[in-house]
């Protein structure tokens, strides 16, 4: 079982909140909402996605880098996967 499965429900709830925020931005654009409000909503989505990313990074580190049961090769693979994900996210 994936380590994400243990925390699936809170992660899904977080994603649903992000989807709701994105839908609010869409509604605002369709309804010609105030520009400042749309900017604030967009900033909130960015923060929410960043928070999700932080949580996933932490979970990955604990499961694939810091776990004492891992071999050195598994740790290296976990670290490499993390670096690749962070690089993609940072672009």
């Amino acid at each position: 079982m994936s380590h994400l499965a243990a925390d699936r429900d809170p992660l899904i709830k977080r994603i649903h909140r992000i989807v709701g925020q994105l839908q609010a931005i869409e509604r605002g654009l369709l309804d010609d909402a105030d520009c400042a409000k749309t900017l604030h909503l967009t900033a909130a989505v960015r923060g929410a996605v960043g928070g999700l990313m932080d949580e996933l990074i932490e979970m990955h580190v604990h499961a694939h880098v810091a776990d004492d049961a891992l071999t050195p090769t598994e740790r290296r693979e976990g670290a490499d996967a993390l670096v690749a994900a962070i690089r993609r996210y940072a672009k």
Side-chain angles (χ1 to χ4, degrees), residues 24-38 41:
I25 294 170
E26 180 182 34
R27 281 190 307 274
L29 292 172
L30 291 171
D31 296 340
D32 294 324
D34 178 64
C35 180
K37 181 178 179 180
T38 304
L41 289 170

Side-chain angles (χ1 to χ4, degrees), residues 38-55:
T38 304
L39 285 169
H40 287 287
L41 289 170
T42 304
V45 169
R46 183 177 182 188
V49 170
L52 175 62
M53 185 69 168
D54 291 345
E55 189 169 347

Side-chain angles (χ1 to χ4, degrees), residues 13-87:
K13 286 179 184 176
R14 183 182 280 244
I15 290 167
H16 286 171
R17 282 192 299 274
I18 293 169
V19 168
Q21 290 173 312
L22 287 168
Q23 290 170 337
I25 294 170
E26 180 182 34
R27 281 190 307 274
L29 292 172
L30 291 171
D31 296 340
D32 294 324
D34 178 64
C35 180
K37 181 178 179 180
T38 304
L39 285 169
H40 287 287
L41 289 170
T42 304
V45 169
R46 183 177 182 188
V49 170
L52 175 62
M53 185 69 168
D54 291 345
E55 189 169 347
L56 292 171
I57 287 171
E58 181 179 348
M59 294 168 76
H60 180 87
V61 167
H62 288 297
H64 299 287
V65 179
D67 189 331
D68 292 333
L70 296 172
T71 67
T73 300
E74 290 170 325
R75 286 176 193 267
R76 175 52 117 178
E77 290 170 354
D80 289 346
L82 179 59
V83 168
I86 290 172
R87 282 187 178 147

